[in-house]
Every structure is written in C-alpha cells, then in structure tokens.
Amino acid sequence: MFVPKITYISFQEEVFEIDVPVGESVMEGAVRNGIDGIVAECGGSCLCATCHVYVDEKFLPLLPAVDEEQDAMLDSTACERLPNSRLSCQIKVRPELDGLIVRMPEYQK
Amino acid sequence: MSDGVVIVGGGQAGFQTAFSLRAEGYEGPVTLIGEEPHVPYQRPPLSKAFVLGKQNQANILLRPESYYLDRNIRFLPGERVAAIETPEHRARLDSGAAIPYDSLVLAAGARNRVLPIAGAQLDGVCYLRTLTEAIELKQRIEQAQQIVVVGGGFIGLEIAASARTLGKEVAVIEALPRLMARVVAPVVSSFFNRSHQSRGVEVLLGAKVREIRGDHGKASEVILDDDSIRRADLVVVGIGIVPNTELAQLAGLPSGNGIGVDEFLQAGDPRIYAIGDCAEYPNPFAGSRVRLESVQNAVDQAVCVAKAIAGKGGPYRAAPWFWSDQYEIRLQLAGLPAGHDFTAVRGQPEDGKFSVFYFRDGRLCAVDSVNRPADHMAARKLIGNGEAITPEQAADESVNLKSLYRIA
C-alpha cells in the first residue's frame, strides 16, 4: 500500500523524512517517530497549540481551510503565527500530501 | 556520582517529568516507575475515541517505547513502590529492590472512588481510569444493550455520549440536582442535560443508586432510592477519584485531600515533590489550596518540577484549564470559579455556542465555554495575565476579547 512521505525540518535544520500512513495526522507521524519539536500535549484534540508547524507554501492549497477552533488555537502559539502556520494534529495525511514539507518552530511552549 | 531522579507514577505527569528533565538539560539517571504494564499513554481518549474504536492502543501512546531508550530514561513498568525511605533517600520497590535518589517526584495519580452499595461487586459493574479498564469497557459496551451510568460528571457523561453514539440505551444517574455540578455553571448543566436527553439518553437528577441486583452473578438491574428500577446489562461507575497519598503518608509527608505541597510543589522534604492528580497545592487563582485533575495540571506541574531539579526553579503559577468532549459538543473551562459572586453570559445557549464568565470581587476568575474556542483561549490569557475585563464587556459580543489582553 502506498504510504506518503512527510518531511519534518527542525528549527536547527535537521531533516526527518517519515512514512506517515493515510489517515494519520502529521502530528501523529512525528510523535510516533519520536521527533522532538512537536509536543502535542493534548494528544491531537486541537486544544494546546503545541504541535504548531509552518507548512511549505506549495502545499497550502492542498490543506483544508483553518476552522474556527484551529484559528483560535493558532492565535496562541508560542512562536509567531504566520500565514502558513497550522496545527499538525489537524493535517490528516492523504495521498496528495506525499512529499509535504513542514518546518517546526523554535519552541512550542 | 548523582543518584538522579526517581519518578513514582507512569501517567501523564510522570511521563512529562522524565522528558522535561532531559529537555531542561538534566543529565543524571532518571527512573520512571509505573504500576501499569503499559508504556505511558493518554487517558483522555479512553472515554471517547478509544471506546468508539477511532483510536487504538498504539495511537494513544504518549511516545513510542524507543523514545525512552534514546533519551536514557529507565522505565520500569508493572512495578510498585512500597515505601520511600526518606532518611536514606531511596525508593523501595515491592520486589525488595531499592533505588536511590537525589530527588523523588510523586506523580502517583489516583484511583477510582468505589460505589459503596450492595451489588457493586457484581460482574458487569465497571469503572474507567486505566487502559486495561478501557479495553474491557469497550468490549462490554459493544456487547451491552442497556447501560446505566452512575455519575453525571465528565467521565460518566463522556461514556454516556460514546455509548449512545454506538446505539445503546443509556441512563445517567446523578445524585446532585444538576450535571457536572462541581465544575460548571447551572446554565451549562442545563445545556448538557438537554443535549443528552435530545439524543435519547435518560438523565435522572437528584437520584441515588441504592443497590445493584444481579442474575447469576452478573449485574442486571439498578435500584434507585425511590424504588424505581432500571434494567442494565452494564453499569459504569464514574463518581470521582481518590488521590494516592499512602506512600507520602507512610513517609510522614503532609497529606490530606492529596499530598500537601508548597508553591514550589515540594512535599515537606527538599528532595521530594508531588504533582498531578495526587498533589494539593496553593493555587493563586483560587486563593486557596486545591487538587486538580487535568492534563494541563499534570503537564505544567511536571515541567515546573523538572526545571527546579535542573536548577531553574520557580513557583508554580499556571492558569488551570480543562475540557470535555461529548458528542460533537466541546466544553472548555479556564480558571477556577470557586467563590465567584457574579456571572455574565456571552452568546446564546439556544445556539449551542456560549460562554459563562465568572467574576470574584470584580475580577474575572473563570470561564466555561461551549463550542466557543476563541472565548476559551482569550479566557486563558485574560485569567493567566490577570487582565481587567468587566461583566458588560464579557457579555457584549461586539467587544473583541483579543483586544483586552497583551499578546504574550
């Protein structure tokens, strides 16, 4: 079965290329592989803003619109919110997202 | 050489302490001792996504097992600490082994309060706190037709919502006159009462269970105080928890409603801390000593203690927040409403989106939000920073709450 690859880049420019199955979130892919830089304190419930990532611009059109809940959380990220800021728990991996690149902020809390 | 840190308890607080120590640069030995056989996992999904089958054992783990090795955390599952030998600075395990410590963190958690009535021992009377209990409960809900939930708090109502979503007949029995009475405003209780009833859950308020009767050793009916009877092939009890204070008591540390700690979370011994569900601490937002049961409290207290052990200590001052998901309704609480003398409502309960702002001596002390995440996030900031807001501003939807607090 086809498993999309997601690239996580830390603030220190370390690159992690991870297989993340369709249906899993970008946050879960990081946590399951022990990548520091995504904390996910609330476990993916869109409650804590500690899985904040900056999404590579060319993938933004493939992501669902930021809903009210995520928008409220993104206002509370520890590092600056930018137009390409997303909570990685809210990005469910689909086949089209193969190759997605996300950058992790300097800190999450 | 340093004896390092021993953490008693492998729940959210214990897990977080271990990894925050490493994140703070602590390089000594770290031993995490958990009574449960599992690698630390998230408890909140157990009553929701886990029993609904949307999440499984693998994807509720806080971190994979390899992560502990990579960060040099010695994890001992299925081990119980029998005693803390404070003069010698060592933790004695049930097995007889002793582990020396420089610092010891009691993240001992809590256990379910047991229903003290006849029939509570019958097969088919279940509780929910651990993964082991959740695995059993999930199976039993699947097989059950009629479920009685005893207790209309977060856990009881979340299980009721999950069971109803799975098509089961569900009755909730709450002893107090309203749901979640200890933690939310009356208007929020009424809203959830209607939400459960409109989905077909029977909600009985001010009702007490007198006895559970069985058929061949298995629970079959629940008898209430007024002699009425509810058929049940599964009874789920969610009537609160009892903090695990025995180890502290045995070691002569302060304990009452929880292990008593100071503002630095120290338990009357400079080497010993207590955090999470088991700890009672002076809370600046309540102006009194409190014991909180939440992910936020577990995580933030763990971080505070890890910093202290790594030499960057300070008092614990995080603003409390909580949440509960029932059906598609999200309830979020910020602050603590104890001692409030005024409330203001923002939005309309009839729309399914509203918040209750609580004031004490003219200052905002807590906010309950139903499907209003932006209000909740603003509330965390307003309360955490001690910002001024009037009841009139709170109730006026044309006032942008974000304009009332300083950004970070």
Side-chain angles (χ1 to χ4, degrees), chain A residues 36 39 45 47 75-76 109, chain B residues 67 71 300 330 380 402:
Chain A
D36 287 326
V39 176
S45 299
L47 284 161
D75 277 339
S76 304
K109 253 188 108 121
Chain B
Y67 197 72
R71 276 137 191 94
D300 289 343
R330 169 154 287 184
R380 283 199 218 170
K402 277 200 268 180

